[in-house]
Amino acid sequence: MVAVPPGRVTLSDRRTQHSWPVEVAPYEMAVFPVTQDRYARVTGRWPSTARGGRLPVEGVSWWDAVRFCNALSERAGLTPAYRLHTDAEGTESADWDVTADGYRLPTEAEWEHACRAGTTGPRYGELDEIAWYRGNSGERMHEVGGRLPNAWGLYDMLGNVWDWCWDVYDAEVYGTYRVLRGGGWFDEHWSCRASMRRRSHPTYRIDDVGFRVARSRPA
């Protein structure tokens, strides 16, 4: 985990042409996306299509990621960040306990703040040096840490696999769809940008979508 300083980030959506500033408190972000080895050690499962211990885990839903965060917290003796509920009709919901010290998904603002690492352009470096994307990946995933990190020591923030974030994308239009960030191994260069937003249903499992964990820091 890397300590990320507080800051301010302006999120934007190309579809609505809307931008909004967000103040970000200090937190911690995982250096790498969750790998298949780590996911298997915590859950006992290998859900990914491509197999390799140091490959990012993929084929995991948003719900899978949330449950992993709680399980990882319990293993570490920390308070789980999420309270999970199922109503009488079988509909699941999750509440985030913002006072918990356990692992969790980053918010969208935290993700972009960490990705930029103090930069203001579309990327934190030359794309071929920092990311696996369609132009250099050979149309396959690669082990984590194979490209240069950003200035805060975070690897694979762009390319390789998309990261699930905590946030709902646009509840009025897309319901419970959650935000994805970062671009993946099969994406064109224009998708691998710090500001790029994608969405997916929280139950979907996709072969270019993984996640990384964050932790809140004491006030």
Side-chain angles (χ1 to χ4, degrees), residues 69-82:
C69 288
N70 276 0
L72 184 63
S73 297
E74 290 168 356
R75 284 169 61 97
L78 303 173
T79 303
Y82 302 121

Side-chain angles (χ1 to χ4, degrees), residues 50-147:
R51 288 296 182 93
R54 282 190 57 78
L55 291 176
V57 70
E58 39 84 2
V60 286
S61 70
W62 183 88
W63 282 108
D64 293 332
V66 162
R67 292 190 182 95
F68 173 90
C69 288
N70 276 0
L72 184 63
S73 297
E74 290 168 356
R75 284 169 61 97
L78 303 173
T79 303
Y82 302 121
R83 301 189 185 103
L84 308 182
H85 316 278
T86 304
D87 65 19
E89 298 179 350
T91 301
E92 292 183 298
S93 62
D95 298 322
W96 172 17
D97 177 2
V98 297
T99 67
D101 61 356
Y103 295 97
R104 58 179 177 79
L105 296 177
T107 66
E108 181 178 14
E110 287 174 336
W111 187 95
E112 185 166 330
H113 179 55
C115 178
R116 290 189 178 280
T119 65
T120 57
R123 304 178 184 93
Y124 52 85
E126 293 295 326
L127 186 58
D128 280 303
E129 296 179 353
I130 64 173
W132 296 112
Y133 70 107
R134 193 166 186 173
N136 67 4
S137 69
E139 299 188 0
R140 62 181 178 86
M141 278 197 312
H142 291 259
E143 293 187 352
V144 299
R147 285 294 188 242

Side-chain angles (χ1 to χ4, degrees), residues 1-218:
M1 303 292 284
V2 167
V4 178
R8 180 183 176 92
V9 64
T10 299
L11 304 180
S12 60
D13 184 78
R14 288 199 310 165
R15 182 183 63 84
T16 62
Q17 300 297 306
H18 178 57
S19 298
W20 61 102
V22 181
E23 298 291 337
V24 179
Y27 58 103
E28 296 178 356
M29 182 77 96
V31 171
F32 305 115
V34 173
T35 62
Q36 294 180 25
D37 260 351
R38 192 179 195 196
Y39 192 84
R41 286 198 303 270
V42 173
T43 68
R45 296 192 294 119
W46 290 79
S48 304
T49 302
R51 288 296 182 93
R54 282 190 57 78
L55 291 176
V57 70
E58 39 84 2
V60 286
S61 70
W62 183 88
W63 282 108
D64 293 332
V66 162
R67 292 190 182 95
F68 173 90
C69 288
N70 276 0
L72 184 63
S73 297
E74 290 168 356
R75 284 169 61 97
L78 303 173
T79 303
Y82 302 121
R83 301 189 185 103
L84 308 182
H85 316 278
T86 304
D87 65 19
E89 298 179 350
T91 301
E92 292 183 298
S93 62
D95 298 322
W96 172 17
D97 177 2
V98 297
T99 67
D101 61 356
Y103 295 97
R104 58 179 177 79
L105 296 177
T107 66
E108 181 178 14
E110 287 174 336
W111 187 95
E112 185 166 330
H113 179 55
C115 178
R116 290 189 178 280
T119 65
T120 57
R123 304 178 184 93
Y124 52 85
E126 293 295 326
L127 186 58
D128 280 303
E129 296 179 353
I130 64 173
W132 296 112
Y133 70 107
R134 193 166 186 173
N136 67 4
S137 69
E139 299 188 0
R140 62 181 178 86
M141 278 197 312
H142 291 259
E143 293 187 352
V144 299
R147 285 294 188 242
L148 295 178
N150 68 14
W152 292 346
L154 299 167
Y155 291 81
D156 299 300
M157 291 299 296
L158 298 177
N160 226 4
V161 291
W162 292 83
D163 289 335
W164 284 111
C165 293
W166 164 254
D167 307 64
V168 171
Y169 181 83
D170 183 339
E172 291 185 6
V173 178
Y174 295 101
T176 60
Y177 275 52
R178 298 283 173 162
V179 171
L180 296 169
R181 286 302 202 105
W185 56 268
F186 196 66
D187 285 282
E188 298 291 353
H189 63 91
W190 53 266
S191 283
C192 297
R193 305 194 316 273
S195 62
M196 183 66 180
R197 307 177 82 221
R198 179 178 158 190
R199 61 190 177 273
S200 186
H201 193 274
T203 63
Y204 290 174
R205 297 181 173 104
I206 308 168
D207 66 1
D208 66 348
V209 173
F211 65 102
R212 70 177 69 218
V213 297
R215 276 188 71 198
S216 299
R217 294 174 63 187

